[in-house]
CSV table of all heavy atoms in Angstrom, one decimal:
chain,number,residue,atom,x,y,z
A,18,VAL,N,0.8,-1.2,0.0
A,18,VAL,CA,0.0,0.0,0.0
A,18,VAL,C,0.9,1.2,0.0
A,18,VAL,O,0.6,2.3,-0.7
A,18,VAL,CB,-0.9,-0.1,1.3
A,18,VAL,CG1,-1.7,1.3,1.3
A,18,VAL,CG2,-1.9,-1.1,1.1
A,19,ASN,N,2.0,1.2,0.8
A,19,ASN,CA,2.8,2.4,0.8
A,19,ASN,C,3.5,2.6,-0.5
A,19,ASN,O,3.7,3.8,-0.9
A,19,ASN,CB,3.9,2.2,1.9
A,19,ASN,CG,3.4,2.3,3.3
A,19,ASN,OD1,2.4,2.8,3.5
A,19,ASN,ND2,4.1,1.7,4.3
A,20,GLU,N,3.8,1.6,-1.3
A,20,GLU,CA,4.4,1.7,-2.6
A,20,GLU,C,3.6,2.2,-3.6
A,20,GLU,O,3.9,2.9,-4.7
A,20,GLU,CB,5.1,0.4,-3.0
A,20,GLU,CG,6.2,-0.1,-2.2
A,20,GLU,CD,7.5,0.8,-2.3
A,20,GLU,OE1,7.6,1.4,-3.4
A,20,GLU,OE2,8.3,0.9,-1.4
A,21,SER,N,2.1,2.0,-3.4
A,21,SER,CA,1.2,2.4,-4.4
A,21,SER,C,0.7,3.8,-4.1
A,21,SER,O,-0.1,4.3,-5.0
A,21,SER,CB,0.0,1.4,-4.4
A,21,SER,OG,-0.6,1.3,-3.2
A,22,THR,N,1.0,4.5,-3.1
A,22,THR,CA,0.5,5.9,-2.8
A,22,THR,C,1.7,6.8,-2.7
A,22,THR,O,2.7,6.3,-2.2
A,22,THR,CB,-0.4,5.8,-1.5
A,22,THR,OG1,0.5,5.3,-0.4
A,22,THR,CG2,-1.6,5.0,-1.6
A,23,LEU,N,1.4,8.0,-2.8
A,23,LEU,CA,2.3,9.1,-2.8
A,23,LEU,C,2.6,9.6,-1.3
A,23,LEU,O,3.5,10.0,-0.8
A,23,LEU,CB,2.1,10.2,-3.7
A,23,LEU,CG,2.2,9.8,-5.3
A,23,LEU,CD1,1.9,11.0,-6.1
A,23,LEU,CD2,3.5,9.2,-5.6
A,24,SER,N,1.4,9.7,-0.6
A,24,SER,CA,1.4,10.3,0.7
A,24,SER,C,1.7,9.2,1.8
A,24,SER,O,1.6,8.1,1.5
A,24,SER,CB,-0.1,10.8,1.1
A,24,SER,OG,-1.1,9.8,0.9
A,25,LYS,N,2.2,9.7,3.0
A,25,LYS,CA,2.7,8.8,4.0
A,25,LYS,C,1.3,8.2,4.7
A,25,LYS,O,0.4,8.9,5.0
A,25,LYS,CB,3.4,9.6,5.1
A,25,LYS,CG,3.8,8.8,6.2
A,25,LYS,CD,4.7,7.6,5.9
A,25,LYS,CE,5.2,7.0,7.3
A,25,LYS,NZ,6.1,5.7,7.0
A,26,ILE,N,1.4,7.0,4.9
A,26,ILE,CA,0.4,6.3,5.5
A,26,ILE,C,0.9,5.7,6.8
A,26,ILE,O,1.8,4.9,7.0
A,26,ILE,CB,-0.2,5.1,4.7
A,26,ILE,CG1,-0.8,5.6,3.4
A,26,ILE,CG2,-1.3,4.3,5.4
A,26,ILE,CD1,-1.3,4.6,2.5
A,27,TRP,N,0.3,6.1,8.0
A,27,TRP,CA,0.7,5.7,9.3
A,27,TRP,C,0.0,4.4,9.6
A,27,TRP,O,-1.2,4.4,10.1
A,27,TRP,CB,0.4,6.8,10.3
A,27,TRP,CG,1.2,8.0,10.1
A,27,TRP,CD1,0.8,9.1,9.5
A,27,TRP,CD2,2.5,8.2,10.5
A,27,TRP,NE1,1.8,10.0,9.4
A,27,TRP,CE2,2.9,9.6,10.0
A,27,TRP,CE3,3.5,7.5,11.1
A,27,TRP,CZ2,4.1,10.1,10.2
A,27,TRP,CZ3,4.7,8.0,11.3
A,27,TRP,CH2,5.0,9.3,10.9
A,28,SER,N,0.6,3.3,9.5
A,28,SER,CA,0.0,2.0,9.7
A,28,SER,C,0.3,1.4,11.1
A,28,SER,O,1.4,1.8,11.7
A,28,SER,CB,0.5,1.0,8.6
A,28,SER,OG,0.2,1.6,7.2
A,29,ARG,N,-0.5,0.6,11.5
A,29,ARG,CA,-0.4,-0.1,12.9
A,29,ARG,C,-0.9,-1.5,12.8
A,29,ARG,O,-1.8,-1.7,12.0
A,29,ARG,CB,-0.9,0.8,14.0
A,29,ARG,CG,-2.2,1.3,13.8
A,29,ARG,CD,-2.5,2.4,14.8
A,29,ARG,NE,-3.7,3.0,14.6
A,29,ARG,CZ,-4.9,3.0,15.3
A,29,ARG,NH1,-4.7,2.1,16.4
A,29,ARG,NH2,-5.9,3.6,15.0
A,30,ILE,N,-0.5,-2.4,13.6
A,30,ILE,CA,-1.0,-3.6,13.7
A,30,ILE,C,-1.4,-4.0,15.1
A,30,ILE,O,-0.7,-3.7,16.1
A,30,ILE,CB,0.3,-4.7,13.3
A,30,ILE,CG1,0.7,-4.5,11.9
A,30,ILE,CG2,-0.4,-6.1,13.4
A,30,ILE,CD1,1.9,-5.3,11.5
A,31,LEU,N,-2.5,-4.5,15.2
A,31,LEU,CA,-3.2,-5.0,16.5
A,31,LEU,C,-3.2,-6.5,16.5
A,31,LEU,O,-3.8,-7.1,15.7
A,31,LEU,CB,-4.5,-4.3,16.8
A,31,LEU,CG,-5.2,-4.8,18.0
A,31,LEU,CD1,-4.5,-4.5,19.3
A,31,LEU,CD2,-6.7,-4.2,18.0
A,32,VAL,N,-2.6,-7.0,17.6
A,32,VAL,CA,-2.5,-8.5,17.7
A,32,VAL,C,-3.4,-8.8,19.0
A,32,VAL,O,-3.1,-8.4,20.0
A,32,VAL,CB,-1.1,-9.0,17.9
A,32,VAL,CG1,-1.1,-10.5,18.2
A,32,VAL,CG2,-0.3,-8.7,16.7
A,33,LEU,N,-4.4,-9.7,18.7
A,33,LEU,CA,-5.3,-10.2,19.8
A,33,LEU,C,-4.9,-11.7,20.0
A,33,LEU,O,-5.1,-12.5,19.2
A,33,LEU,CB,-6.7,-10.2,19.4
A,33,LEU,CG,-7.4,-8.8,19.2
A,33,LEU,CD1,-8.9,-9.0,18.8
A,33,LEU,CD2,-7.3,-8.0,20.5
A,34,SER,N,-4.0,-11.9,21.0
A,34,SER,CA,-3.4,-13.2,21.3
A,34,SER,C,-4.2,-14.0,22.3
A,34,SER,O,-4.5,-13.5,23.4
A,34,SER,CB,-2.0,-13.0,21.7
A,34,SER,OG,-1.3,-14.2,22.1
A,35,ALA,N,-4.3,-15.2,22.0
A,35,ALA,CA,-5.1,-16.1,22.9
A,35,ALA,C,-4.2,-17.4,23.1
A,35,ALA,O,-4.8,-18.5,23.4
A,35,ALA,CB,-6.5,-16.4,22.5
A,36,ALA,N,-2.9,-17.4,22.6
A,36,ALA,CA,-2.1,-18.5,22.6
A,36,ALA,C,-0.8,-18.3,23.3
A,36,ALA,O,-0.4,-17.2,23.6
A,36,ALA,CB,-1.8,-19.0,21.1
A,37,GLU,N,0.0,-19.4,23.6
A,37,GLU,CA,1.2,-19.3,24.3
A,37,GLU,C,2.3,-19.1,23.3
A,37,GLU,O,2.2,-19.2,22.1
A,37,GLU,CB,1.5,-20.4,25.2
A,37,GLU,CG,0.5,-20.8,26.2
A,37,GLU,CD,0.4,-19.7,27.3
A,37,GLU,OE1,1.5,-19.1,27.5
A,37,GLU,OE2,-0.7,-19.4,27.8
A,38,ASP,N,3.5,-18.6,23.7
A,38,ASP,CA,4.7,-18.4,23.0
A,38,ASP,C,5.1,-19.7,22.3
A,38,ASP,O,5.1,-20.8,23.0
A,38,ASP,CB,5.8,-17.8,23.6
A,38,ASP,CG,5.6,-16.3,24.0
A,38,ASP,OD1,4.8,-15.7,23.2
A,38,ASP,OD2,6.2,-15.8,24.9
A,39,SER,N,5.5,-19.6,21.1
A,39,SER,CA,6.1,-20.8,20.4
A,39,SER,C,7.6,-20.5,20.2
A,39,SER,O,7.9,-19.7,19.3
A,39,SER,CB,5.5,-21.0,19.1
A,39,SER,OG,6.1,-22.1,18.4
A,40,PRO,N,8.5,-21.2,20.9
A,40,PRO,CA,9.9,-20.9,20.7
A,40,PRO,C,10.5,-21.2,19.4
A,40,PRO,O,11.5,-20.5,18.9
A,40,PRO,CB,10.6,-22.0,21.8
A,40,PRO,CG,9.5,-22.2,22.8
A,40,PRO,CD,8.2,-22.2,22.0
A,41,ARG,N,9.9,-22.0,18.6
A,41,ARG,CA,10.3,-22.3,17.2
A,41,ARG,C,10.0,-21.0,16.3
A,41,ARG,O,10.7,-21.0,15.2
A,41,ARG,CB,9.5,-23.5,16.7
A,41,ARG,CG,9.8,-24.8,17.4
A,41,ARG,CD,9.2,-25.9,16.7
A,41,ARG,NE,9.6,-27.2,17.5
A,41,ARG,CZ,10.7,-27.9,17.1
A,41,ARG,NH1,11.5,-27.5,16.1
A,41,ARG,NH2,10.9,-29.0,17.8
A,42,GLU,N,9.3,-20.2,16.7
A,42,GLU,CA,8.9,-19.0,15.9
A,42,GLU,C,9.8,-17.8,16.2
A,42,GLU,O,9.6,-16.8,15.7
A,42,GLU,CB,7.5,-18.5,16.0
A,42,GLU,CG,6.5,-19.4,15.3
A,42,GLU,CD,5.2,-18.6,15.0
A,42,GLU,OE1,4.7,-18.1,16.0
A,42,GLU,OE2,4.7,-18.6,13.9
A,43,TYR,N,10.8,-17.9,17.1
A,43,TYR,CA,11.5,-16.8,17.6
A,43,TYR,C,12.3,-16.1,16.4
A,43,TYR,O,12.2,-14.9,16.4
A,43,TYR,CB,12.5,-17.2,18.7
A,43,TYR,CG,13.5,-16.2,19.2
A,43,TYR,CD1,13.0,-15.2,20.0
A,43,TYR,CD2,14.8,-16.0,18.7
A,43,TYR,CE1,13.8,-14.3,20.6
A,43,TYR,CE2,15.6,-15.2,19.2
A,43,TYR,CZ,15.0,-14.2,20.1
A,43,TYR,OH,15.8,-13.1,20.6
A,44,ILE,N,12.9,-16.8,15.6
A,44,ILE,CA,13.7,-16.2,14.6
A,44,ILE,C,12.8,-15.4,13.6
A,44,ILE,O,13.1,-14.2,13.4
A,44,ILE,CB,14.5,-17.3,13.7
A,44,ILE,CG1,15.4,-18.1,14.8
A,44,ILE,CG2,15.4,-16.6,12.7
A,44,ILE,CD1,16.1,-19.2,14.0
A,45,SER,N,11.8,-16.1,13.0
A,45,SER,CA,11.0,-15.3,12.1
A,45,SER,C,10.1,-14.3,12.7
A,45,SER,O,9.9,-13.2,12.2
A,45,SER,CB,10.0,-16.4,11.4
A,45,SER,OG,9.2,-17.1,12.5
A,46,LEU,N,9.8,-14.5,14.1
A,46,LEU,CA,9.1,-13.3,14.7
A,46,LEU,C,9.9,-12.1,15.0
A,46,LEU,O,9.5,-11.0,14.8
A,46,LEU,CB,8.5,-13.9,16.0
A,46,LEU,CG,7.6,-13.0,16.8
A,46,LEU,CD1,6.4,-12.5,16.0
A,46,LEU,CD2,7.2,-13.6,18.2
A,47,MET,N,11.2,-12.3,15.4
A,47,MET,CA,12.1,-11.2,15.6
A,47,MET,C,12.4,-10.5,14.2
A,47,MET,O,12.5,-9.2,14.2
A,47,MET,CB,13.3,-11.6,16.2
A,47,MET,CG,13.1,-12.1,17.6
A,47,MET,SD,12.4,-11.0,18.8
A,47,MET,CE,13.6,-9.7,18.8
A,48,ASN,N,12.6,-11.3,13.2
A,48,ASN,CA,12.7,-10.6,11.9
A,48,ASN,C,11.5,-9.7,11.5
A,48,ASN,O,11.7,-8.5,11.0
A,48,ASN,CB,12.9,-11.6,10.8
A,48,ASN,CG,14.2,-12.4,10.9
A,48,ASN,OD1,15.2,-11.8,11.5
A,48,ASN,ND2,14.2,-13.6,10.4
A,49,SER,N,10.3,-10.2,11.8
A,49,SER,CA,9.1,-9.4,11.5
A,49,SER,C,9.1,-8.1,12.4
A,49,SER,O,8.6,-7.0,12.0
A,49,SER,CB,7.9,-10.2,11.7
A,49,SER,OG,7.8,-11.3,10.9
A,50,ILE,N,9.5,-8.2,13.8
A,50,ILE,CA,9.5,-7.1,14.7
A,50,ILE,C,10.5,-6.0,14.1
A,50,ILE,O,10.1,-4.8,14.2
A,50,ILE,CB,9.8,-7.6,16.1
A,50,ILE,CG1,8.7,-8.5,16.5
A,50,ILE,CG2,10.0,-6.5,17.0
A,50,ILE,CD1,9.1,-9.3,17.9
A,51,PHE,N,11.7,-6.4,13.8
A,51,PHE,CA,12.6,-5.4,13.4
A,51,PHE,C,12.2,-4.8,12.0
A,51,PHE,O,12.5,-3.6,11.7
A,51,PHE,CB,13.9,-6.0,13.2
A,51,PHE,CG,14.6,-6.3,14.6
A,51,PHE,CD1,15.0,-7.6,15.0
A,51,PHE,CD2,14.8,-5.3,15.6
A,51,PHE,CE1,15.6,-8.0,16.2
A,51,PHE,CE2,15.3,-5.6,16.7
A,51,PHE,CZ,15.8,-6.9,17.1
A,52,ALA,N,11.6,-5.6,11.2
A,52,ALA,CA,11.0,-5.0,9.9
A,52,ALA,C,9.9,-3.9,10.2
A,52,ALA,O,9.9,-3.0,9.5
A,52,ALA,CB,10.5,-6.1,9.0
A,53,ALA,N,9.1,-4.2,11.2
A,53,ALA,CA,8.1,-3.3,11.5
A,53,ALA,C,8.6,-2.0,12.1
A,53,ALA,O,8.2,-0.9,11.9
A,53,ALA,CB,7.1,-3.9,12.5
A,54,GLN,N,9.7,-2.1,12.9
A,54,GLN,CA,10.4,-1.0,13.5
A,54,GLN,C,11.1,-0.2,12.4
A,54,GLN,O,10.9,1.0,12.4
A,54,GLN,CB,11.5,-1.5,14.4
A,54,GLN,CG,12.2,-0.3,15.1
A,54,GLN,CD,13.5,-0.8,15.9
A,54,GLN,OE1,14.1,-1.8,15.4
A,54,GLN,NE2,13.9,-0.1,17.0
A,55,LYS,N,11.6,-0.8,11.3
A,55,LYS,CA,12.2,0.0,10.2
A,55,LYS,C,11.2,0.7,9.4
A,55,LYS,O,11.4,1.7,8.9
A,55,LYS,CB,13.0,-1.0,9.3
A,55,LYS,CG,13.7,-0.3,8.3
A,55,LYS,CD,14.6,-1.3,7.4
A,55,LYS,CE,15.5,-0.6,6.4
A,55,LYS,NZ,16.2,-1.6,5.6
A,56,MET,N,10.0,0.1,9.2
A,56,MET,CA,8.8,0.7,8.5
A,56,MET,C,8.0,1.7,9.4
A,56,MET,O,7.1,2.2,8.8
A,56,MET,CB,8.0,-0.4,8.0
A,56,MET,CG,8.6,-1.3,7.0
A,56,MET,SD,7.6,-2.8,6.6
A,56,MET,CE,6.2,-2.0,5.9
A,57,SER,N,8.4,1.9,10.7
A,57,SER,CA,7.6,2.7,11.5
A,57,SER,C,6.3,2.3,11.7
A,57,SER,O,5.3,3.1,11.7
A,57,SER,CB,7.7,4.2,11.1
A,57,SER,OG,9.0,4.7,11.0
A,58,VAL,N,6.0,1.0,11.9
A,58,VAL,CA,4.7,0.4,12.1
A,58,VAL,C,4.6,-0.1,13.6
A,58,VAL,O,5.4,-0.9,14.0
A,58,VAL,CB,4.5,-0.8,11.2
A,58,VAL,CG1,3.2,-1.5,11.4
A,58,VAL,CG2,4.6,-0.4,9.7
A,59,LEU,N,3.6,0.5,14.2
A,59,LEU,CA,3.4,0.2,15.6
A,59,LEU,C,2.7,-1.2,15.7
A,59,LEU,O,1.8,-1.6,14.9
A,59,LEU,CB,2.5,1.2,16.2
A,59,LEU,CG,2.9,2.6,16.3
A,59,LEU,CD1,1.9,3.5,17.1
A,59,LEU,CD2,4.3,2.8,17.0
A,60,ILE,N,3.2,-2.1,16.7
A,60,ILE,CA,2.6,-3.3,17.0
A,60,ILE,C,1.9,-3.3,18.3
A,60,ILE,O,2.7,-3.3,19.3
A,60,ILE,CB,3.6,-4.5,16.8
A,60,ILE,CG1,4.2,-4.5,15.4
A,60,ILE,CG2,2.9,-5.8,17.1
A,60,ILE,CD1,5.2,-5.6,15.2
A,61,ASP,N,0.6,-3.2,18.3
A,61,ASP,CA,-0.1,-3.3,19.6
A,61,ASP,C,-0.5,-4.7,20.0
A,61,ASP,O,-0.9,-5.5,19.1
A,61,ASP,CB,-1.3,-2.4,19.6
A,61,ASP,CG,-1.0,-0.9,19.4
A,61,ASP,OD1,0.0,-0.4,19.9
A,61,ASP,OD2,-1.8,-0.3,18.7
A,62,ILE,N,-0.4,-5.0,21.3
A,62,ILE,CA,-0.7,-6.4,21.7
A,62,ILE,C,-1.7,-6.4,22.8
A,62,ILE,O,-1.6,-5.6,23.7
A,62,ILE,CB,0.6,-7.1,22.2
A,62,ILE,CG1,1.8,-7.0,21.2
A,62,ILE,CG2,0.2,-8.6,22.6
A,62,ILE,CD1,1.6,-7.7,20.0
A,63,CYS,N,-2.7,-7.1,22.6
A,63,CYS,CA,-3.8,-7.4,23.7
A,63,CYS,C,-3.7,-8.8,23.9
A,63,CYS,O,-4.3,-9.6,23.1
A,63,CYS,CB,-5.1,-6.9,23.2
A,63,CYS,SG,-6.5,-7.0,24.4
């Protein structure tokens, strides 16, 4: 969406979690977190 528009879009992600942590997802999850930080995308957790 950001690539298809000229104006800045302030995006955010809301996660509604009802599950426990999965240690096998640590690598891919941290990659997504740092990618969101670089894109200035807030990740809210409930």
Side-chain angles (χ1 to χ4, degrees):
V18 173
N19 289 334
E20 292 293 334
S21 61
T22 58
L23 299 177
S24 59
K25 173 66 176 179
I26 298 179
W27 297 97
S28 306
R29 49 197 171 107
I30 300 174
L31 173 60
V32 179
L33 297 179
S34 175
E37 301 297 331
D38 285 336
S39 175
R41 295 183 178 274
E42 282 201 314
Y43 176 76
I44 303 175
S45 55
L46 184 59
M47 293 304 297
N48 290 336
S49 300
I50 294 172
F51 289 119
Q54 182 189 33
K55 186 176 182 180
M56 297 170 59
S57 301
V58 176
L59 301 182
I60 300 180
D61 296 327
I62 309 296
C63 182

